[in-house]
Amino acid sequence: MSASDAEASLSEDELAGLELVRETGGIHQSDFWKELDVSSRKGSRIAEKLQGLGLIQREDAVYNGHNTYFLAPTAKDLNFSLMMAGDMLSPFIGEEEIDPNSDAFTQWLMNLAYEEY
């Protein structure tokens, strides 16, 4: 099941929880349910469901002297074909300095152009 399919099956509270985790970049479960204005039990169930669907990561943590979980977003479905020209990955992936006059970039562009026709 893709992330978008999993999200389509979520309740309103679960969608709000997922959005909260994504917007914050990660949140402790003890704050998660408070922010959602739900009980700790319901907050825990929401977090478990989101984790089970692979939409968030849930890791043991100690926060304010108490055991809890840290909820972090997972990567969404990515479309790597946008970085490809034929079977070549863009030469700019992982490069700190981009040289648009490089041979690697020229070859990549040529492959991209030939792929169109």
Side-chain angles (χ1 to χ4, degrees), residues 86-106:
D87 61 352
M88 290 182 67
L89 182 64
S90 169
F92 296 136
I93 304 299
E95 294 293 324
E96 289 185 25
E97 291 191 29
I98 299 171
D99 179 10
N101 297 318
S102 70
D103 290 337
F105 182 62
T106 301

Side-chain angles (χ1 to χ4, degrees), residues 3-83:
S4 57
D5 291 340
E7 287 180 42
S9 70
L10 298 177
S11 70
E12 190 176 313
D13 286 338
E14 292 162 347
L15 280 171
L18 178 59
E19 192 61 33
L20 176 62
V21 172
R22 287 179 174 164
E23 285 177 359
T24 59
I27 187 169
H28 288 95
Q29 187 167 309
S30 54
D31 290 336
F32 174 77
W33 60 269
K34 292 173 189 173
E35 289 289 324
L36 290 177
D37 196 26
V38 298
S39 69
S40 61
R41 184 177 182 174
K42 185 170 184 177
S44 183
R45 287 183 178 165
I46 291 170
E48 288 171 357
K49 180 165 184 184
L50 296 175
Q51 179 190 24
L53 291 171
L55 298 172
I56 67 169
Q57 296 174 346
R58 190 170 176 241
E59 299 174 4
D60 292 326
V62 176
Y63 179 61
N64 290 336
H66 298 284
N67 292 333
T68 186
Y69 293 97
F70 186 75
L71 311 176
T74 56
K76 294 184 179 180
D77 294 343
L78 300 175
N79 184 355
F80 291 104
S81 68
L82 299 174
M83 297 180 282

